[in-house]
Amino acid sequence: MPIDPNDLYRLRRRPPSEKQLDTGFHWLTVLTASTVAIVLVLILAIVFHGSLESMGLYGWRFLVTSNWNPVDDEYGALTAIYGTMVTSLVSLLIAVPLGVGTAIFITERFIPRPLREMIGLMVELLAAIPSVVLGLWAIFVLEPALRPFLTWLHFTFKDIPLFSTQPLGPGMTPAILVLVVMILPIITAISRDSLNQVPIRLRQAAYGVGSTQWSAILHVILPASISGIVGGVMLALGRAMGETMAVTMIIGNSNNFSWSLLAPGNTIAAMLANQFGEADGSQVSSLMYAAFVLILLTLVVNILAQLIVKRLSLKY
Amino acid sequence: MTVSATTATPTTGEEICLSLENVSISYGGEEAVRNVYCAIPRGQVTAFIGPSGCGKSTVLRALNRMNDLIDNCTLSGRVVFDGADLYHPGVDPVEVRRRIGMVFQQPNPFPKSIYENIAFGARINGYTGDMDELVERSLRQAAVWDECKDKLNESGCSLSGGQQQRLCIARTIAIQPEVILMDEPCSALDPISTLKIEETMHELKKTFTIVIVTHNMQQAVRVSDRTAFFNAEAQEGGSGKVGYLVEFNETDKIFNSPTQQATYDYVSGRFG
């Protein structure tokens, strides 16, 4: 007797509960995936809304004046914006070569494996130090130790605006160095991971045509891993721009504008942390405005980085 | 069975290019291949055949110090090239690889333009002549010029697998080595690409000494003048297998009148 085809199909029918489970799971993932986006948009909206008052009062003037005076209700965030940009960019300038160099050193067989692993571990431990401890270290150890050198810098290059003030304690330079210590582990760890991900066949190709270790690293391995490295640098930049505790402890929290890296200064994050407690009226709105500027800055930097990565990276 | 060493020397009158003298290679204390004696003649194609895990690729990579890239890989014995031991402490592995080029199992072009794939290696080897001419000549020699002459600025990775492999051969030719090592160069390719590469090898044989590892015995018969058969045996007291050279002779003799039973079993398909 021939088999009824419908019988065969009936065997494969899935129970309704299983289908519901699938649908349920689908919506669960939609929910979890959209949570991040919703939170991000809400934060942006609320910060923007909070800053509307200050935007109306001060407009673009807020970005280019440095008068921060709660008594007269006059606010300009230039000092903090300049401080944020300078501390984060200069700290990157120092930390990127150091971090990428360390990553190359511990991935590319310059030293025996156990030694490499030990250095890698130590870099990761550096990330485990709480920022308040680093701030304390900066105040009591780093800054006093650094001062003679900074004084020398000042007297040698006092015609350059960046070194035009005498170092008198807390200031932007120690803050920059603390930031270097804080972002170095991020850059090193992520660079190391992306260097390790370069396929072995690419390394073999480079060495197989007689590359020296340096030309293999410079012309093949680094270009193949640049997108990951820049990603790590961007994370580090985000951290440097937003870092609050250690910076506010060592930067001096001064709202008087100065080009000098040796002078006390301020960053947006440090200013927010210092002033939110006793702020009222248009000061709150001004702080929100500053926060909004900070978000925009990181956004712009991120987009720029994406464009750079697209041009530089080798697709394998 | 305790075959520890089989000496195989080509008939006198042929010039020896590379010779392995009692070479044993281990990975982290685990011996992979032991006591290999083998003298590879100049200007011929030598094939390494044998079952998986018998160490033929390991031996091949030892010939241009590619094993240096692997942590914990150690070699004892001597690999003599041009009268000098390649593993002498004073020898620069980079110079070795410039004189002994390599084509890998998986096509691995640089993620750069086709032109730059050839030019990069030539440049770091100190080539100062006409680069356009070298690129064209190398691609022609590797029989891939017609397929990529119109897209030299496109990425090497945009080519098909067989074309990529011929690009890799062209890249190796361009550095003008004396020896070309090929590690199963056709294992990832279709039969037509394989045929093209074999034809390329017949051309290259006139200029270079070639050593090729292959799983394909017909390929060994088609392209090689000499064949080395490797086998693996369980190690006494050890966990893994250790490879050794069973027999090395003219390809014709290996496939038609081998002296060892193991060789006969393998080439006649009665292996295992």
Side-chain angles (χ1 to χ4, degrees):
Chain A
M1 191 182 127
I3 302 166
D4 178 6
N6 284 326
D7 281 346
L8 281 175
Y9 282 111
R10 208 161 293 132
L11 289 175
R12 293 171 214 189
R13 202 152 284 156
R14 298 161 65 206
S17 62
E18 196 187 314
K19 283 186 195 166
Q20 278 162 7
L21 198 70
D22 273 5
T23 325
F25 190 73
H26 171 78
W27 285 109
L28 185 72
T29 51
V30 169
L31 183 74
T32 50
S34 44
T35 307
V36 178
I38 290 169
V39 169
L40 181 73
V41 169
L42 281 181
I43 290 176
L44 265 177
I46 284 169
V47 171
F48 182 69
H49 179 76
S51 60
L52 277 177
E53 184 195 340
S54 178
M55 280 183 185
L57 279 173
Y58 313 114
W60 293 109
R61 203 150 41 91
F62 184 79
L63 306 178
V64 291
T65 58
S66 62
N67 183 20
W68 190 274
N69 191 343
V71 179
D72 300 336
D73 246 4
E74 269 298 318
Y75 298 105
L78 179 64
T79 310
I81 293 173
Y82 174 73
T84 305
M85 305 266 281
V86 161
T87 50
S88 52
L89 291 181
V90 176
S91 63
L92 268 196
L93 225 57
I94 302 172
V96 167
L98 261 178
V100 176
T102 311
I104 290 174
F105 189 64
I106 57 184
T107 49
E108 295 300 322
R109 297 178 304 109
F110 287 101
I111 44 173
R113 182 179 283 271
L115 226 60
R116 278 187 263 159
E117 279 168 2
M118 210 170 69
I119 294 176
L121 191 72
M122 269 157 41
V123 171
E124 269 159 27
L125 283 179
L126 199 57
I129 301 176
S131 64
V132 65
V133 176
L134 280 177
L136 216 58
W137 168 74
I139 291 172
F140 290 114
V141 182
L142 177 68
E143 192 275 321
L146 204 60
R147 207 180 304 172
F149 172 66
L150 296 184
T151 309
W152 174 82
L153 260 185
H154 165 64
F155 283 114
T156 319
F157 299 105
K158 62 161 90 65
D159 298 333
I160 303 173
L162 287 179
F163 305 112
S164 59
T165 62
Q166 198 169 351
L168 299 164
M172 302 240 261
T173 310
I176 287 169
L177 292 180
V178 170
L179 283 178
V180 169
V181 175
M182 299 184 78
I183 63 180
L184 195 60
I186 305 178
I187 296 179
T188 310
I190 295 180
S191 304
R192 183 189 56 186
D193 290 348
S194 34
L195 285 169
N196 275 333
Q197 272 169 15
V198 174
I200 177 94
R201 60 190 163 84
L202 260 189
R203 285 166 203 272
Q204 287 179 336
Y207 289 115
V209 293
S211 296
T212 59
Q213 200 163 11
W214 284 118
S215 67
I217 290 170
L218 215 62
H219 295 289
V220 177
I221 298 169
L222 267 185
S225 55
I226 194 80
S227 62
I229 291 175
V230 174
V233 171
M234 284 303 112
L235 268 183
L237 182 59
R239 169 126 201 228
M241 284 177 134
E243 173 52 35
T244 310
M245 183 42 88
V247 170
T248 201
M249 285 167 87
I250 192 63
I251 200 167
N253 299 304
S254 156
N255 276 316
N256 297 323
F257 183 82
S258 164
W259 288 109
S260 173
L261 293 177
L262 308 174
N266 214 344
T267 68
I268 296 176
M271 187 171 80
L272 292 178
N274 273 316
Q275 303 199 0
F276 243 105
E278 57 259 24
D280 50 15
S282 64
Q283 192 179 358
V284 174
S285 182
S286 296
L287 290 174
M288 284 284 195
Y289 192 177
F292 189 66
V293 171
L294 181 59
I295 297 176
L296 282 190
L297 279 179
T298 41
L299 206 68
V300 167
V301 167
N302 260 303
I303 292 169
L304 278 180
Q306 299 285 345
L307 293 179
I308 296 170
V309 167
K310 270 207 182 114
R311 306 210 79 198
L312 285 182
S313 62
L314 293 181
K315 300 266 175 297
Y316 53 84
Chain B
M1 191 171 77
T2 51
V3 178
S4 57
T6 307
T7 314
T9 320
T11 46
T12 48
E14 279 173 334
E15 192 189 351
I16 302 304
C17 175
L18 268 161
S19 94
L20 296 149
E21 293 170 8
N22 198 14
V23 169
S24 302
I25 303 166
S26 347
Y27 296 112
E30 196 81 18
E31 208 165 38
V33 60
R34 92 161 42 137
N35 304 120
V36 175
Y37 289 84
C38 183
I40 294 159
R42 193 178 290 278
Q44 294 192 7
V45 178
T46 303
F48 289 179
I49 62 168
S52 294
C54 67
K56 54 196 186 303
S57 288
T58 300
V59 171
L60 188 79
R61 283 200 305 269
L63 297 180
N64 71 341
R65 295 196 59 171
M66 219 56 197
N67 280 337
D68 287 20
L69 298 185
I70 299 167
D71 282 321
N72 302 324
C73 182
T74 50
L75 179 140
S76 69
R78 279 157 51 91
V79 181
V80 178
F81 173 59
D82 227 12
D85 182 6
L86 291 182
Y87 285 80
H88 188 274
V91 171
D92 180 2
V94 172
E95 285 170 14
V96 172
R97 294 183 202 122
R98 289 178 181 184
R99 294 178 67 190
I100 306 180
M102 188 153 199
V103 177
F104 299 87
Q105 186 170 3
Q106 294 286 335
N108 58 352
F110 296 118
K112 303 170 186 261
S113 70
I114 291 171
Y115 186 96
E116 194 56 30
N117 257 285
I118 311 284
F120 175 69
R123 207 180 296 127
I124 59 176
N125 275 274
Y127 180 78
T128 50
D130 183 349
M131 193 60 84
D132 292 354
E133 191 260 322
L134 177 75
V135 169
E136 177 171 349
R137 178 155 43 86
S138 309
L139 289 170
R140 272 189 197 286
Q141 253 185 303
V144 71
W145 170 251
D146 291 332
E147 285 137 294
C148 50
K149 64 180 173 205
D150 297 323
K151 44 179 179 177
L152 291 176
N153 288 318
E154 282 174 38
S155 169
C157 300
S158 67
L159 297 170
S160 75
Q163 291 167 344
Q164 284 187 14
Q165 192 64 301
R166 275 176 283 145
L167 175 62
C168 292
I169 293 175
R171 172 179 80 190
T172 308
I173 296 169
I175 68 171
Q176 287 165 6
E178 290 153 58
V179 184
I180 298 179
L181 309 176
M182 296 183 169
D183 189 357
E184 295 179 49
C186 304
S187 66
L189 306 183
D190 65 285
I192 295 167
S193 303
T194 302
L195 194 70
K196 285 192 175 165
I197 288 182
E198 286 179 9
E199 284 166 4
T200 308
M201 286 171 66
H202 281 297
E203 280 304 306
L204 297 181
K205 190 164 100 168
K206 296 167 189 162
T207 334
F208 306 100
T209 303
I210 297 177
V211 185
I212 177 174
V213 165
T214 176
H215 268 298
N216 181 334
M217 284 186 273
Q218 278 70 44
Q219 184 170 56
V221 174
R222 285 193 298 264
V223 300
S224 73
D225 304 298
R226 287 179 170 277
T227 298
F229 171 61
F230 288 79
N231 203 354
E233 64 174 355
Q235 206 169 358
E236 316 93 53
S239 49
K241 283 184 165 184
V242 57
Y244 59 98
L245 177 65
V246 179
E247 192 170 353
F248 178 49
N249 213 328
E250 282 159 30
T251 299
D252 193 39
K253 292 210 174 107
I254 289 283
F255 282 90
N256 295 319
S257 53
T259 61
Q260 302 286 322
Q261 184 63 33
T263 314
Y264 178 75
D265 288 348
Y266 187 77
V267 299
S268 60
R270 273 198 272 135
F271 183 77

